[in-house]
Amino acid sequence: MTVEQYYESLKRFAPTRGLILNPDWEIVRPLLEGLLKNGERYRLRTCPCRPATGDPQKDRDIVCPCEYAKPDIEEYGACYCWLYVSQDWIDGKVPHVQIPERRPVERTLDI
């Protein structure tokens, strides 16, 4: 699958989950490349912004869209990676800030 094909599929998928795909291709393209690469590497499209272990049980929470995406979008207008955003984020009504990591450190460090 190419990045462009993946983008088109996510544009159809996002609304079914109540999500909005970031319309900024310069941000989205490298994220999609990372998701595709992680899919090849781990057989799961894990978040490209977080380290994955390759263990499906340990990485389940960071399969995109990760379980932290909705709370991040509700609080900050964007998920951790900025792949999914709110309409207010797109409209510039909320600041575009770095999203703090919600994933417990134990899971991030695999300890």
Side-chain angles (χ1 to χ4, degrees), residues 19-90:
L19 298 168
I20 300 172
L21 193 60
N22 187 333
D24 187 334
W25 182 245
E26 297 300 317
I27 292 172
V28 169
R29 182 181 178 88
L31 295 172
L32 298 184
E33 290 171 343
L35 283 165
L36 289 171
K37 184 61 126 181
N38 284 348
E40 293 170 8
R41 186 179 298 150
Y42 304 118
R43 302 175 74 181
L44 291 173
R45 290 185 179 154
T46 57
C47 175
C49 300
R50 295 180 168 110
T53 65
D55 179 332
Q57 292 299 325
K58 292 178 179 176
D59 296 338
R60 185 176 35 201
D61 63 321
I62 58 170
V63 173
C64 188
C66 73
E67 67 180 49
Y68 313 104
K70 284 205 172 183
D72 285 344
I73 294 167
E74 288 173 12
E75 186 170 352
Y76 299 103
C79 72
Y80 185 72
C81 299
W82 291 13
L83 181 60
Y84 295 106
V85 297
S86 68
Q87 188 60 51
D88 283 347
W89 191 92
I90 293 170

Side-chain angles (χ1 to χ4, degrees), residues 6 12 16 51 65 74 85 105:
Y6 191 33
R12 291 187 302 274
T16 69
E74 288 173 12
V85 297
V105 68

